[in-house]
């Protein structure tokens, strides 16, 4: 393919002329993390031409841009985002939906800038880069296997924290939108699991990154290509289907509990673990209380429940040494039904090891008690029942029990045996969900709020 003869020349003068367009377009993107706070400035981190922009045909520019906003996220420097901008004189009608805008001045004056991943020609070019690894300016492309050529791309139409492209129903490429310094756990953990022979996770086939290398420090992951599990359906859809047809979901939940335990066992074997114990647990509880305070500041509806929720956290102090005897290890970090894919023959796989997208990377990569993931999935059964009109809470209870039983059978450790710890993590997750929904899907806020009321009421408080 002739378009691979690309250049890494950085069009540094590009950003100022793009600023008015980005100002308007960026905050509207589903993956933009800084919603609700004004954008006060942009700073270019790197600009790489994957396909020259000064020709008649489409060009492709890879940008890493810091977005300055008031408030805590990203600190004074601002959050860093990955953009892949297509550049053309005119947009064909089929790409009208991808339009960002026409550039008024600067090196691209008069040309149209658009979401490059939506253009099959440019999406194919990105794949071409992954097929032929090596450096390109500040970017580095790597692969673990030979990747066939000529796979047609399509943008995945899913509500996402990032952007994904499916190539020929064979591979799926996740392009991380918010970029952090260091390896993304969504590359790090699946690679470790693949090397450990765990078949519950699609193994990374290729990735691209920037930074690190000779200058010290770790490279930042920008995108990961993995096998596309064709014909699989995610657990969220399956659970809602079961609810809609009045079916139980306990068999599936039990198998999912087993799959989760297998992933945890493999992660504990492949990567370092640390003893949990009382001091570490106290530290975890402090974190939960801190997150609760921050969430209640941001979502005042939480305020009346703060004492009850705090009591759920403080109850961890009554755990026995036996309850806290487990080891902290690397975990999934944002496990829910949408992160589990079930193959037509009933096998569960787990995807998206990025963790909670808003948390700093260092925090997401820290060892944690595995019960944290269990709690995430338990919340998800509750979410499914709560979002289906007329569903009985007992449906979710049965799923939750089946999931824990499956987990206990496969791991030898029943998450229900330390109920205070489990409830504290469930509470922590529900608090996270309140904040998440308030920011991203305000219509969904009643779902975690119902859980907040229940969890706050379960623990006696003065
Ligand atoms: N390996 C895969 N095979 C099939 N579908 C996948 C695969 N990985 C992800 N998906 C689909 O893509 C969606 C988004 O992926 P995910 O990793 O959760 O992205 P994000 O972190 O942006 O939310 C998932 O809900 C799932 O439907
Ligand atoms: O998109 P991500 O996978 O990064 O996760 C975020 O979005 C999820 C919603 O898409 C959100 O999950 C919450 O809603 C789910 C139903 O849509 C439910 O199954 C989960 O239990 C609930 O937490 C997730 O919290 C958020 O990090």
């Amino acid at each position: 393919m002739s378009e691979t003869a690309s250049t890494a020349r950085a069009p540094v003068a590009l950003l100022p002329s793009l600023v008015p367009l980005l100002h308007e377009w960026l905050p509207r993107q589903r993956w933009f993390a800084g919603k609700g706070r004004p954008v006060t400035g942009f700073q270019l981190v790197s600009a790489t031409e994957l396909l020259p922009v000064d020709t008649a045909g489409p060009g492709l520019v890879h940008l890493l841009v810091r977005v300055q906003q008031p408030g805590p996220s990203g600190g004074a420097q601002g959050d860093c985002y990955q953009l892949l901008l297509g550049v053309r004189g005119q947009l064909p009608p089929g790409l009208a939906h991808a339009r960002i805008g026409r550039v008024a001045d600067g090196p691209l004056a008069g040309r149209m800038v658009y979401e490059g991943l939506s253009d099959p020609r440019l999406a194919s070019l990105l794949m071409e880069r992954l097929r032929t690894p090596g450096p390109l300016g500040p970017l580095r492309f790597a692969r673990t296997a030979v990747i066939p050529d000529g796979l047609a791309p399509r943008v995945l139409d899913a509500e996402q924290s990032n952007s994904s492209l499916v190539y020929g129903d064979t591979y799926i490429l996740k392009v991380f939108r918010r970029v952090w310094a260091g390896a993304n756990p969504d590359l790090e953990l699946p690679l470790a699991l693949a090397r450990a022979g765990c078949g519950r996770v699609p193994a990374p086939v290729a990735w691209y990154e920037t930074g690190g290398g000779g200058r010290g420090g770790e490279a930042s992951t920008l995108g990961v290509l993995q096998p596309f599990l064709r014909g699989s359906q995610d657990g969220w859809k399956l659970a809602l289907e079961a609810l809609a047809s009045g079916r139980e979901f306990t068999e599936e939940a039990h198998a999912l509990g087993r799959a989760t335990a297998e992933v945890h066992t493999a992660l504990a074997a492949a990567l370092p673990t640390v003893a949990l114990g009382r001091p570490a647990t106290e530290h975890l509880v402090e974190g939960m209380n801190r997150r609760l305070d921050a969430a209640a500041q941001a979502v005042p509806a939480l305020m009346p429940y703060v004492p009850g929720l705090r009591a759920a956290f403080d109850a961890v102090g009554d755990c026995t040494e036996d309850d806290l005897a487990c080891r902290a290890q690397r975990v999934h970090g944002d496990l829910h039904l949408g992160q589990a894919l079930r193959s037509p023959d009933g096998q569960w796989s787990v995807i998206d090891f990025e963790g909670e997208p808003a948390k700093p990377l260092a925090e997401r990569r820290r060892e944690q008690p595995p019960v944290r993931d269990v709690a995430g999935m338990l919340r998800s059964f509750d979410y499914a029942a709560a979002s289906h009109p007329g569903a009985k809470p007992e449906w979710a209870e049965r799923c939750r029990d089946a999931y824990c039983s499956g987990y206990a059978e496969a791991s030898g450790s029943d998450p229900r045996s330390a109920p205070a710890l489990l409830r504290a993590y469930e509470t922590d997750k529900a608090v996270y969900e309140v904040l998440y929904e308030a920011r991203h899907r305000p219509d969904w806020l009643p779902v975690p709020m119902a859980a907040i009321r229940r969890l706050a009421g379960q623990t006696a408080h003065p």
Side-chain angles (χ1 to χ4, degrees), residues 216-386:
E218 238 182 5
S220 298
T221 316
L222 298 172
V224 180
L225 185 78
Q226 57 171 246
F228 181 67
L229 304 177
R230 197 184 354 212
S232 290
Q233 279 191 293
D234 75 64
W236 175 252
K237 225 177 273 163
L238 290 169
L240 291 190
E241 274 171 24
L243 276 161
S245 51
R247 270 188 292 112
E248 291 294 313
F249 196 63
T250 46
E251 234 176 79
E252 292 89 336
H254 187 272
L256 187 51
R258 292 195 71 97
T260 309
E262 281 174 33
V263 169
H264 279 166
T265 305
L267 281 174
L271 295 164
T273 64
V274 293
L276 187 59
R278 197 160 298 284
T281 317
E282 280 165 12
H283 188 67
L284 291 172
V285 169
E286 275 166 31
M288 292 175 181
N289 276 309
R290 248 195 332 271
R291 288 192 286 276
L292 173 60
D293 290 339
Q297 284 296 320
V299 188
L302 269 175
M303 281 295 184
Y305 305 103
V306 167
L309 299 173
R310 230 184 261 302
F313 298 149
D314 294 342
V316 174
D318 301 331
C319 282
T320 64
E321 290 300 332
D322 267 3
D323 290 342
L324 305 178
C326 70
R327 293 186 73 77
Q329 61 164 89
R330 296 298 299 275
V331 297
H332 181 282
D334 191 15
L335 194 61
H336 57 80
L337 281 163
Q339 316 283 39
L341 300 181
R342 192 163 182 265
S343 68
D345 63 353
Q347 289 301 317
W348 286 106
S349 295
V350 180
I351 57 163
D352 193 5
F353 284 74
E354 210 187 347
E356 290 171 2
K359 284 217 170 96
L361 197 62
E363 199 176 321
R364 289 190 259 146
R365 293 177 73 189
R366 211 167 279 150
E367 287 82 12
Q368 311 198 43
V371 68
R372 187 182 155 175
D373 282 346
V374 172
M377 193 58 87
L378 297 187
R379 288 284 314 117
S380 214
F381 293 120
D382 184 61
Y383 246 76

Side-chain angles (χ1 to χ4, degrees), residues 24-386:
E24 162 66 20
W25 177 79
L26 245 179
R28 287 190 282 115
Q29 302 314 300
R30 161 76 162 89
W31 40 262
F32 183 68
K35 292 202 177 69
R37 288 180 291 133
V39 172
T40 52
F42 292 91
Q43 191 198 338
L44 187 66
V45 176
S46 74
T48 314
E49 272 186 321
L50 293 179
L51 194 61
V53 293
D54 53 3
T55 64
L60 180 61
V61 188
H62 179 279
L63 292 183
L64 291 176
V65 176
R66 280 200 184 281
V67 180
Q68 277 126 11
Q69 296 185 276
S73 185
Q77 287 193 307
D79 297 336
C80 182
Y81 289 93
Q82 175 176 202
L83 310 179
L84 282 138
L85 303 184
V87 180
R88 289 183 185 239
Q90 290 296 335
L91 271 192
L95 284 174
H97 67 283
R99 177 194 158 106
I100 297 177
R102 197 173 288 283
V103 185
D105 47 32
L108 297 180
R111 309 202 66 203
M112 193 65 89
V113 170
Y114 62 103
E115 168 61 272
L117 296 176
S118 298
D119 185 340
R121 222 164 134 189
L122 302 183
S124 296
L125 180 84
L126 188 56
M127 174 56 126
E128 213 40 43
R129 279 283 151 215
L130 290 160
R131 291 186 61 242
T132 49
L136 180 72
L139 312 180
R140 269 189 316 281
F141 293 79
R143 62 168 162 81
T144 57
V146 173
I147 303 163
D149 139 7
L151 299 169
R154 68 179 162 90
V155 176
L156 195 75
D157 181 23
E159 256 206 6
Q160 275 188 267
S161 306
N162 300 287
S163 298
S164 295
L165 290 156
V166 177
Y167 289 90
D169 272 4
T170 307
Y171 298 107
I172 180 165
L173 171 67
K174 174 154 34 167
V175 173
F176 296 111
R177 289 305 195 160
R178 189 161 168 204
V179 175
W180 302 78
N184 193 300
D186 205 13
L187 171 63
E188 184 192 14
L189 298 190
L191 263 186
L193 286 165
R195 286 174 187 147
C198 173
R200 291 287 183 187
V201 173
V205 175
W207 59 90
Y208 65 109
E209 59 192 16
T210 190
R215 277 172 283 140
E218 238 182 5
S220 298
T221 316
L222 298 172
V224 180
L225 185 78
Q226 57 171 246
F228 181 67
L229 304 177
R230 197 184 354 212
S232 290
Q233 279 191 293
D234 75 64
W236 175 252
K237 225 177 273 163
L238 290 169
L240 291 190
E241 274 171 24
L243 276 161
S245 51
R247 270 188 292 112
E248 291 294 313
F249 196 63
T250 46
E251 234 176 79
E252 292 89 336
H254 187 272
L256 187 51
R258 292 195 71 97
T260 309
E262 281 174 33
V263 169
H264 279 166
T265 305
L267 281 174
L271 295 164
T273 64
V274 293
L276 187 59
R278 197 160 298 284
T281 317
E282 280 165 12
H283 188 67
L284 291 172
V285 169
E286 275 166 31
M288 292 175 181
N289 276 309
R290 248 195 332 271
R291 288 192 286 276
L292 173 60
D293 290 339
Q297 284 296 320
V299 188
L302 269 175
M303 281 295 184
Y305 305 103
V306 167
L309 299 173
R310 230 184 261 302
F313 298 149
D314 294 342
V316 174
D318 301 331
C319 282
T320 64
E321 290 300 332
D322 267 3
D323 290 342
L324 305 178
C326 70
R327 293 186 73 77
Q329 61 164 89
R330 296 298 299 275
V331 297
H332 181 282
D334 191 15
L335 194 61
H336 57 80
L337 281 163
Q339 316 283 39
L341 300 181
R342 192 163 182 265
S343 68
D345 63 353
Q347 289 301 317
W348 286 106
S349 295
V350 180
I351 57 163
D352 193 5
F353 284 74
E354 210 187 347
E356 290 171 2
K359 284 217 170 96
L361 197 62
E363 199 176 321
R364 289 190 259 146
R365 293 177 73 189
R366 211 167 279 150
E367 287 82 12
Q368 311 198 43
V371 68
R372 187 182 155 175
D373 282 346
V374 172
M377 193 58 87
L378 297 187
R379 288 284 314 117
S380 214
F381 293 120
D382 184 61
Y383 246 76

